[in-house]
Amino acid sequence: DLEWKPDFKINGEKTNYPPSFLQISTFTSCLIIVLRESQDASLQSVEKLFSNANIVKCGIGVESDIKKFKLRFPSCQIAKWVD
């Protein structure tokens, strides 16, 4: 799941804020990652997780979250997801 500042219209133009937080959950754990402008070690781990086709990424609104995530991190490849 991703969280970001709400998008709205300013002077007729829609804002498009980048994601601020990434939440990754399993049946027993939840990890919340603060997304920064720079690439750091936590993001490299997230990229490994997202690109691994052996791990299914699932949830509600996953497709829109992927689009929003790729606005900030366009090089990240996301494999095997279900919305």
Side-chain angles (χ1 to χ4, degrees), residues 7-59:
D7 293 321
F8 53 90
K9 287 189 176 183
I10 299 176
N11 297 326
E13 291 188 33
K14 186 177 180 194
T15 60
N16 195 9
Y17 294 108
S20 302
F21 298 95
L22 170 65
Q23 175 184 319
I24 300 173
S25 300
T26 68
F27 287 113
T28 59
S29 301
C30 178
L31 176 66
I32 297 176
I33 300 169
V34 177
L35 300 172
R36 296 184 179 94
E37 294 294 329
S38 64
Q39 302 275 356
D40 58 13
S42 63
L43 183 59
Q44 291 173 2
S45 296
V46 168
E47 287 181 322
K48 286 180 184 179
L49 172 75
F50 282 177
S51 64
N52 187 335
N54 294 317
I55 301 171
V56 178
K57 283 59 79 182
C58 62

